[in-house]
Amino acid sequence: MPSIPRAAAPSARLRGLLLWLLLPLCLSSCGWMVDRATSRLAADLTEAIRNQDDPETVRQGGPAYLLLVDALIAGSPDNEELLSAGASLYGAYAGFFVDDPARARRLAGKALGYGARALCRRRAAACALRGLPFDAFRSALDGFGRGDVPALFGLATAWTGWIQANANDWNAVAELPKVQALLRRILELDEGYRAGEAHLYLGALLALRPPALGGRPEAARRHFERAIALSGGRNLMAKVLYAERYARMVFDKALHDRLLREVLAADPSAPGLTLTNTLAQERARRLLAESDAYF
């Protein structure tokens, strides 16, 4: 019985051609998998920090977290999720844990840069957004949709932190109207995003100055109350800022003390809010201790 001939082995030239054709597909798939893995790592790291109930752990470990996210971004410089994570981590660390003004300005500037790059990667037209004149800036915001809210919010929070870190620079303070317009646009698109945190930021900005200098305390009050309502009272920092920025400005001691006592009586543990709530309780304790002297 004659044997059945085996299929001829592919020639070396054919094997080389197949490898050359498949290599770009492999690199593309591997690159996508690595990109997704690093994005997941940054998201998990950010969430772990938000759920940490020991602020000192974050204070001491913060520089390592920041260097890690820098390294991830260096490896994937166009990854929007990594850039957003960088903006969030740098902004939070500068705002909560850095006492040296010069260092706070540097870190807040890094956060703003990452936030702007994240939005730019999402929409090329947004790359020049920050430098637009105010009317053009406000008009450009109309081009964003609900899906852009996370990137818009990341930029808004980093921008707010940068202005706060540069409060003695009138050129920085002059950018406040743009941040307020950005926060209002976020509220128009998705008021409930991050349990209404855009209301919290907008309230804090509107209460930065007394009415004689352009502040709007009653508008700030409405935003603080809405932030509390949308979070179901779980965001304790909303009550602390309501007491510190509004109640103190209008000299309402009863409201001030009631809000702070509510914060101290609350359970700080809440998904995504535990670290912020723990820090809010620390600030509430200090503000309440100063209450009689202040009022």
Side-chain angles (χ1 to χ4, degrees):
M1 182 176 179
S3 61
I4 301 174
R6 289 178 295 176
S11 67
R13 180 177 297 178
L14 180 57
R15 289 198 301 270
L17 178 60
L18 288 172
L19 178 62
W20 182 255
L21 291 173
L22 292 172
L23 183 61
L25 179 61
C26 177
L27 290 176
S28 175
S29 299
C30 293
W32 179 85
M33 287 188 288
V34 170
D35 220 33
R36 293 306 304 164
T38 53
S39 296
R40 186 68 261 164
L41 173 60
D44 289 345
L45 176 62
T46 303
E47 195 64 17
I49 292 172
R50 286 176 179 159
N51 290 320
Q52 175 59 249
D53 63 359
D54 181 20
E56 194 59 29
T57 295
V58 180
R59 183 190 301 277
Q60 294 184 17
Y65 305 149
L66 301 181
L67 289 173
L68 174 59
V69 80
D70 281 342
L72 294 175
I73 291 172
S76 301
D78 295 327
N79 187 309
E80 178 191 337
E81 292 171 312
L82 288 179
L83 291 166
S84 293
S88 176
L89 291 173
Y90 265 94
Y93 192 76
F96 286 125
F97 298 109
V98 177
D99 298 321
D100 178 59
R103 185 171 176 233
R105 286 193 294 271
R106 287 195 301 272
L107 297 181
K110 191 77 170 282
L112 179 56
Y114 279 153
R117 283 173 58 187
L119 187 61
C120 176
R121 293 299 179 270
R122 182 167 188 82
R123 285 180 178 261
C127 296
L129 184 67
R130 185 183 166 202
L132 293 175
F134 180 73
D135 288 342
F137 177 90
R138 190 165 52 185
S139 297
L141 294 179
D142 293 336
F144 292 96
R146 188 184 179 96
D148 300 314
V149 165
L152 290 172
F153 184 75
L155 175 59
T157 55
W159 204 345
T160 300
W162 178 81
I163 291 173
Q164 181 176 337
N166 292 273
N168 293 325
D169 181 351
W170 285 105
N171 290 321
V173 175
E175 297 186 26
L176 270 175
K178 289 183 178 179
V179 182
Q180 291 172 352
L182 181 54
L183 289 165
R184 289 190 179 97
R185 181 57 178 157
I186 292 168
L187 292 174
E188 291 172 357
L189 293 170
D190 187 0
E191 183 192 25
Y193 180 71
R194 294 274 300 263
E197 280 192 32
H199 279 291
L200 174 57
Y201 278 87
L202 193 51
L205 290 178
L206 290 171
L208 272 178
R209 296 171 290 180
L213 296 178
R216 298 174 55 196
E218 290 309 309
R221 176 184 60 79
R222 291 192 292 272
H223 285 294
F224 286 133
E225 290 178 350
R226 189 63 179 148
I228 293 167
L230 288 170
S231 75
R234 290 172 299 174
N235 189 337
L236 302 183
M237 191 61 77
K239 291 187 176 183
V240 170
L241 290 178
Y242 188 9
E244 184 177 16
R245 298 289 177 86
Y246 173 80
R248 288 195 170 202
M249 181 185 292
V250 300
F251 290 94
D252 189 337
K253 187 178 189 302
L255 174 64
H256 176 272
D257 291 359
R258 174 178 64 78
L259 289 167
L260 297 177
R261 289 193 179 101
E262 288 174 359
V263 168
L264 293 174
D267 180 357
S269 299
L273 290 168
T274 301
L275 177 62
T276 302
N277 286 346
T278 304
L279 293 168
Q281 288 186 327
E282 290 182 0
R283 186 181 295 190
R285 197 169 289 110
R286 175 178 58 80
L287 292 173
L288 195 58
E290 300 170 353
S291 179
D292 289 341
Y294 184 87
F295 290 98

